[in-house]
Amino acid sequence: MFTSPDARRYAPATERNREPILAVLQRVLPPTGTVLEVSSGTGEHAVFFAPHLAPRQWLPSDLDPGARASIAAWREAAPAANLHTPIALDAAAPLWPVESENFRDLLSELDLQQHPITALVNINMIHIAPWAACLGLLAAAGRILPPGGILYLYGPYKQNGQHTALSNEAFDASLQAQNPDWGVRDLDAVVAAAKVYGLALVETITMPANNLSVVFRAIG
């Protein structure tokens, strides 16, 4: 990853995976409402997805101020009417800003009464974060999403307790060397935790570079 003079960050993987991810999102997302992107990173996905997914509203977020600056810079460079100002959001927090009655004070440009959150999208986060962040994401999806709402996850996963590729095994080892709380998650563990929060697994889709798209639906 590198940063341009105007605060935009670049992640090489984005250009490789954005088209396949978009194809899945166009198929599985509800047709209207707001899509809350959790841990938007550089913002490259946000500026690419938002115009392709209108009339849905796209709300990016990130805990890192540098990432939010990058998202804002990308938004300025490639504006879209349905792409909103990034908000600060800690996935592990017990209450998210979008759940607050005062959310309009934080982001007056987006009326969640008119455009309620109908989907959460999270790309390449839960393996580069503590397990608590994954649990926080699932818990929030259970609280926020209406019945039929969609939680979309993308990234590498173990399946049946095993890595799906040697490259993923090496990646997992490198992540745990950086932080023992990080690592490629077992899909079965994610699905079991999601069920606790009223989220049912709908579909698992094989993606390029040994990643998966994992789609959950809120069952209410």
Coordinates of all heavy atoms in Angstrom, one line a residue, residues 68-109:
R68 N -9.7 7.2 6.8 CA -10.8 8.1 6.5 C -10.3 9.2 5.6 O -11.1 9.7 4.7 CB -11.5 8.5 7.8 CG -12.1 7.4 8.6 CD -13.1 8.0 9.6 NE -12.5 8.9 10.6 CZ -11.8 8.5 11.7 NH1 -11.7 7.2 12.0 NH2 -11.3 9.4 12.5
A69 N -9.1 9.7 5.8 CA -8.6 10.8 5.0 C -8.4 10.3 3.5 O -8.7 11.0 2.6 CB -7.3 11.3 5.5
S70 N -8.0 9.1 3.4 CA -7.8 8.5 2.1 C -9.2 8.3 1.4 O -9.4 8.7 0.2 CB -7.1 7.1 2.2 OG -7.1 6.5 0.9
I71 N -10.2 7.8 2.1 CA -11.5 7.7 1.6 C -12.1 9.0 1.1 O -12.6 9.2 0.0 CB -12.5 7.0 2.6 CG1 -12.0 5.7 3.0 CG2 -13.9 7.0 2.0 CD1 -12.6 5.1 4.3
A72 N -11.9 10.1 1.9 CA -12.4 11.4 1.6 C -11.7 11.9 0.4 O -12.3 12.6 -0.5 CB -12.2 12.3 2.8
A73 N -10.4 11.7 0.2 CA -9.6 12.1 -0.9 C -10.1 11.4 -2.2 O -10.2 12.0 -3.3 CB -8.1 11.9 -0.7
W74 N -10.3 10.1 -2.1 CA -10.8 9.4 -3.2 C -12.2 9.9 -3.6 O -12.5 10.0 -4.8 CB -10.9 7.9 -2.9 CG -9.6 7.2 -3.2 CD1 -8.7 6.7 -2.3 CD2 -9.1 6.8 -4.5 NE1 -7.7 6.1 -2.9 CE2 -7.9 6.1 -4.3 CE3 -9.5 7.1 -5.8 CZ2 -7.1 5.7 -5.3 CZ3 -8.7 6.6 -6.8 CH2 -7.5 5.9 -6.6
R75 N -13.0 10.2 -2.6 CA -14.4 10.7 -2.9 C -14.3 12.0 -3.6 O -15.1 12.3 -4.5 CB -15.1 10.8 -1.6 CG -16.6 11.3 -1.7 CD -17.2 11.2 -0.3 NE -18.6 11.7 -0.3 CZ -18.9 12.9 0.2 NH1 -18.0 13.7 0.8 NH2 -20.2 13.3 0.1
E76 N -13.4 12.9 -3.2 CA -13.2 14.2 -3.9 C -12.7 14.0 -5.3 O -13.2 14.7 -6.2 CB -12.2 15.0 -3.1 CG -12.1 16.4 -3.6 CD -11.2 17.3 -2.8 OE1 -10.8 16.9 -1.7 OE2 -10.8 18.4 -3.2
A77 N -11.9 13.0 -5.5 CA -11.3 12.8 -6.9 C -12.3 12.1 -7.8 O -12.3 12.3 -9.0 CB -10.0 11.9 -6.8
A78 N -13.2 11.3 -7.2 CA -14.2 10.6 -8.0 C -15.5 10.6 -7.3 O -16.0 9.6 -6.8 CB -13.7 9.1 -8.2
P79 N -16.2 11.8 -7.3 CA -17.4 12.0 -6.6 C -18.6 11.2 -7.2 O -18.6 10.9 -8.4 CB -17.7 13.5 -6.7 CG -17.0 13.9 -7.9 CD -15.8 13.0 -8.0
A80 N -19.5 10.7 -6.3 CA -20.7 10.1 -6.8 C -21.8 10.6 -5.8 O -21.6 10.7 -4.6 CB -20.6 8.6 -6.7
A81 N -23.0 10.8 -6.4 CA -24.1 11.4 -5.6 C -24.5 10.5 -4.4 O -25.0 11.0 -3.4 CB -25.3 11.7 -6.5
N82 N -24.3 9.2 -4.6 CA -24.7 8.3 -3.5 C -23.6 7.8 -2.6 O -23.7 6.9 -1.8 CB -25.4 7.1 -4.1 CG -24.5 6.2 -5.0 OD1 -23.6 6.8 -5.7 ND2 -24.7 4.9 -5.1
L83 N -22.4 8.4 -2.8 CA -21.2 8.1 -1.9 C -21.1 9.1 -0.9 O -20.9 10.3 -1.2 CB -20.0 8.0 -2.8 CG -18.7 7.7 -2.0 CD1 -18.7 6.4 -1.2 CD2 -17.5 7.7 -3.0
H84 N -21.1 8.7 0.4 CA -21.1 9.7 1.5 C -19.8 9.8 2.2 O -18.9 9.0 2.1 CB -22.2 9.2 2.5 CG -23.6 9.3 1.8 ND1 -24.3 10.5 1.7 CD2 -24.4 8.4 1.2 CE1 -25.4 10.3 1.1 NE2 -25.5 9.0 0.8
T85 N -19.7 10.8 3.1 CA -18.5 11.1 3.9 C -18.3 9.9 4.8 O -19.2 9.4 5.4 CB -18.8 12.4 4.7 OG1 -19.1 13.4 3.9 CG2 -17.6 12.7 5.5
P86 N -17.0 9.5 4.9 CA -16.7 8.3 5.8 C -16.9 8.7 7.2 O -16.6 9.8 7.7 CB -15.2 8.0 5.5 CG -14.7 9.3 4.9 CD -15.8 10.0 4.2
I87 N -17.3 7.7 8.0 CA -17.5 7.9 9.4 C -16.5 7.1 10.2 O -16.0 6.0 9.7 CB -19.0 7.6 9.9 CG1 -19.3 6.1 9.6 CG2 -20.0 8.5 9.2 CD1 -20.6 5.6 10.3
A88 N -16.2 7.5 11.4 CA -15.4 6.7 12.3 C -16.2 5.6 12.9 O -17.3 5.8 13.5 CB -14.8 7.6 13.4
L89 N -15.7 4.3 12.8 CA -16.5 3.2 13.3 C -15.5 2.1 13.8 O -14.6 1.7 13.0 CB -17.4 2.7 12.2 CG -18.4 1.6 12.6 CD1 -19.6 1.7 11.7 CD2 -17.9 0.2 12.7
D90 N -15.7 1.7 15.0 CA -14.9 0.6 15.6 C -15.8 -0.7 15.5 O -16.8 -0.7 16.2 CB -14.5 0.9 17.0 CG -13.8 -0.2 17.7 OD1 -13.6 -1.3 17.1 OD2 -13.4 0.0 18.9
A91 N -15.5 -1.6 14.7 CA -16.3 -2.8 14.6 C -16.6 -3.5 15.9 O -17.6 -4.1 16.1 CB -15.7 -3.8 13.5
A92 N -15.6 -3.5 16.8 CA -15.8 -4.2 18.1 C -16.6 -3.4 19.1 O -16.9 -4.0 20.1 CB -14.4 -4.5 18.6
A93 N -17.0 -2.2 18.8 CA -17.7 -1.4 19.8 C -19.1 -1.9 20.0 O -19.8 -2.5 19.1 CB -17.9 0.1 19.2
P94 N -19.6 -1.8 21.2 CA -20.9 -2.4 21.5 C -22.1 -1.6 20.9 O -23.2 -2.2 20.8 CB -21.0 -2.4 23.1 CG -20.1 -1.3 23.5 CD -19.0 -1.3 22.4
L95 N -21.9 -0.4 20.6 CA -22.9 0.4 19.9 C -22.2 1.2 18.8 O -21.2 1.9 19.0 CB -23.5 1.4 20.9 CG -24.7 2.2 20.4 CD1 -26.0 1.3 20.2 CD2 -25.1 3.4 21.3
W96 N -22.8 1.2 17.6 CA -22.2 1.9 16.5 C -22.9 3.2 16.3 O -24.0 3.4 16.7 CB -22.4 1.0 15.2 CG -21.5 -0.2 15.1 CD1 -20.7 -0.6 16.1 CD2 -21.3 -1.0 14.0 NE1 -20.0 -1.7 15.7 CE2 -20.4 -2.0 14.4 CE3 -21.9 -1.1 12.7 CZ2 -20.0 -3.0 13.5 CZ3 -21.5 -2.1 11.9 CH2 -20.5 -3.1 12.3
P97 N -22.1 4.2 15.6 CA -22.7 5.5 15.5 C -24.0 5.5 14.7 O -24.9 6.4 15.0 CB -21.6 6.2 14.7 CG -20.3 5.5 15.0 CD -20.7 4.1 15.2
V98 N -24.2 4.6 13.8 CA -25.4 4.6 13.0 C -26.6 4.2 13.8 O -27.8 4.4 13.4 CB -25.3 3.7 11.7 CG1 -24.3 4.3 10.7 CG2 -24.9 2.3 12.2
E99 N -26.4 3.7 15.0 CA -27.5 3.3 15.9 C -27.9 4.4 16.8 O -28.9 4.3 17.5 CB -27.1 2.1 16.7 CG -26.7 0.9 15.9 CD -26.3 -0.3 16.8 OE1 -27.1 -1.0 17.4 OE2 -25.1 -0.5 17.0
S100 N -27.2 5.5 16.8 CA -27.5 6.6 17.7 C -28.6 7.5 17.1 O -28.7 7.7 15.9 CB -26.2 7.5 17.8 OG -26.5 8.7 18.4
E101 N -29.5 8.0 18.0 CA -30.5 8.9 17.6 C -30.0 10.2 17.1 O -30.7 10.9 16.4 CB -31.5 9.1 18.8 CG -32.2 7.9 19.3 CD -33.1 8.2 20.5 OE1 -33.1 9.4 20.9 OE2 -33.9 7.3 20.9
N102 N -28.7 10.5 17.4 CA -28.1 11.7 17.0 C -27.2 11.6 15.8 O -26.4 12.4 15.5 CB -27.3 12.3 18.2 CG -28.1 12.6 19.4 OD1 -29.2 13.1 19.3 ND2 -27.6 12.3 20.6
F103 N -27.5 10.5 15.0 CA -26.6 10.3 13.9 C -26.7 11.4 12.9 O -25.6 11.8 12.3 CB -27.0 8.9 13.2 CG -26.1 8.7 12.0 CD1 -24.8 8.3 12.1 CD2 -26.7 8.8 10.7 CE1 -24.0 8.0 11.0 CE2 -25.9 8.5 9.5 CZ -24.6 8.1 9.7
R104 N -27.8 12.0 12.7 CA -27.9 13.2 11.8 C -27.0 14.3 12.2 O -26.6 15.1 11.3 CB -29.4 13.6 11.6 CG -30.3 12.7 10.9 CD -29.9 12.6 9.4 NE -30.0 13.8 8.6 CZ -31.0 14.3 8.1 NH1 -32.2 13.6 8.1 NH2 -31.0 15.4 7.4
D105 N -26.7 14.4 13.5 CA -25.8 15.5 13.9 C -24.4 15.1 13.4 O -23.5 16.0 13.2 CB -25.8 15.6 15.4 CG -27.1 16.1 15.9 OD1 -27.9 16.8 15.2 OD2 -27.5 15.8 17.1
L106 N -24.1 13.8 13.3 CA -22.7 13.4 12.9 C -22.6 13.5 11.4 O -21.6 13.9 10.8 CB -22.5 11.9 13.3 CG -21.3 11.2 12.8 CD1 -20.0 11.9 13.4 CD2 -21.3 9.8 13.2
L107 N -23.7 13.1 10.7 CA -23.6 13.1 9.2 C -25.0 13.6 8.7 O -25.9 12.8 8.4 CB -23.3 11.7 8.7 CG -22.9 11.6 7.2 CD1 -21.6 12.2 6.9 CD2 -22.9 10.1 6.8
S108 N -25.1 14.9 8.5 CA -26.4 15.4 8.1 C -26.8 15.1 6.7 O -28.0 15.2 6.3 CB -26.4 17.0 8.3 OG -25.4 17.6 7.5
E109 N -25.9 14.7 5.9 CA -26.1 14.5 4.4 C -26.9 13.2 4.2 O -27.5 13.1 3.1 CB -24.8 14.5 3.6 CG -24.0 13.2 3.9 CD -22.6 13.4 3.5 OE1 -21.9 14.3 3.9 OE2 -22.1 12.5 2.7

